[in-house]
Amino acid sequence: MNTHFRSSAVVLLSGGLDSATVLAIAKQQGYLCYALSFDYGQRHAVELAAAKRIVKFMGVKKHLIFSLPLDAIGGSALTDPALVVPTTLQDENNPEDSIPATYVPARNLIFLSIALAWAESLNIDTIFIGVNVIDYSGYPDCRLGFINAFREIAKLATRSGIQQKKISIKTPLISMRKSEIIECGTKLGIDYSLTVSCYQANDEGKACGVCDACRFRQQGFKEAGIADPTCYY
């Protein structure tokens, strides 16, 4: 069991740009990091390979890849190959105020619950997650209201909460533009070529360039004035 209660954190790490930046921020703030990734039946395994690269590049205390077959539930273009990933060519059928087909039902609720359980078992009181409400696809579980509600759940559903040990859910990216995230990560020394953000990357990790994740990533690098290291197919 980790005994450094005030200096350790569980960091959710998908292998994408945002989560890599969050890991860098946590390390910069002096936390000993435990990275948590999920093999949840997503379309491709390259993001997990990216998570492993990021962990090797940045260093963590432990990297746990948790198997969670959300593809058995379905309901998302990220877990059901029969559903089409929305692209720039399909925007007229996906208005901005709708929740896109890439939304995975209750994903962040489930992921944060696992992170909370792991943190409590390690006697850790801090969790980092890279949710964002500015340049994102409109997922309901990326909003501050959800995060605040989960903070209350953490108090009620855990031994730590009952014993009045505050469990902190940190969201350093929540109000940042993608360009600001990229600028922050670049200053912290992140090699973004190691990351994979694309919803439908190929087996080599090359990105499609037309899904929501790719568009926000491209826009972010352009606005930041930083060369995009992403390989596209």
Side-chain angles (χ1 to χ4, degrees), residues 7-180:
S7 61
S8 297
V10 169
V11 182
L12 290 169
L13 181 68
S14 69
L17 183 152
D18 291 346
S19 65
T21 307
V22 167
L23 177 58
I25 290 172
K27 288 179 65 64
Q28 190 271 336
Q29 292 180 3
Y31 286 94
L32 180 66
C33 295
Y34 291 74
L36 176 60
S37 304
F38 290 91
D39 182 358
Y40 64 93
Q42 56 267 60
R43 276 180 174 260
H44 53 70
V46 294
E47 67 179 27
L48 289 176
K52 293 177 182 178
R53 290 195 300 268
I54 294 163
V55 162
K56 184 177 180 180
F57 177 74
M58 300 180 64
V60 300
K61 174 67 174 179
K62 182 176 182 179
H63 183 205
L64 172 63
I65 299 179
F66 196 93
S67 181
L68 189 69
L70 295 182
D71 55 325
I73 296 173
S76 170
L78 297 190
T79 58
D80 185 348
L83 298 178
V84 177
V85 173
T87 69
T88 53
L89 301 178
Q90 301 164 326
D91 281 353
E92 66 274 9
N93 299 317
N94 292 276
E96 291 184 2
D97 60 351
S98 67
I99 297 175
T102 49
Y103 163 69
V104 180
R107 180 173 60 178
N108 282 344
L109 174 61
I110 296 168
F111 286 4
L112 273 173
S113 296
I114 301 298
L116 179 62
W118 194 32
E120 191 172 34
S121 73
L122 293 168
N123 199 28
I124 289 174
D125 67 348
T126 304
I127 297 170
F128 281 82
I129 182 171
V131 292
N132 177 269
V133 296
I134 306 297
D135 294 331
Y136 81 123
S137 298
Y139 303 141
D141 55 358
C142 287
R143 299 173 300 167
L144 182 58
F146 161 69
I147 295 297
N148 286 335
F150 190 84
R151 288 175 174 133
E152 292 302 312
I153 289 293
K155 294 177 185 178
L156 297 172
T158 62
R159 178 178 59 196
S160 297
I162 295 299
Q163 294 176 346
Q164 304 301 311
K165 297 177 182 177
K166 181 181 178 182
I167 299 173
S168 177
I169 312 295
K170 293 185 176 291
T171 58
L173 310 185
I174 198 157
S175 60
M176 296 172 67
R177 298 298 304 266
K178 190 68 72 178
S179 58
E180 294 172 326

Side-chain angles (χ1 to χ4, degrees), residues 178-180 182-183 219-226:
K178 190 68 72 178
S179 58
E180 294 172 326
I182 291 169
E183 289 169 355
Q219 176 184 335
F221 277 106
K222 182 178 180 180
E223 291 180 356
I226 296 172

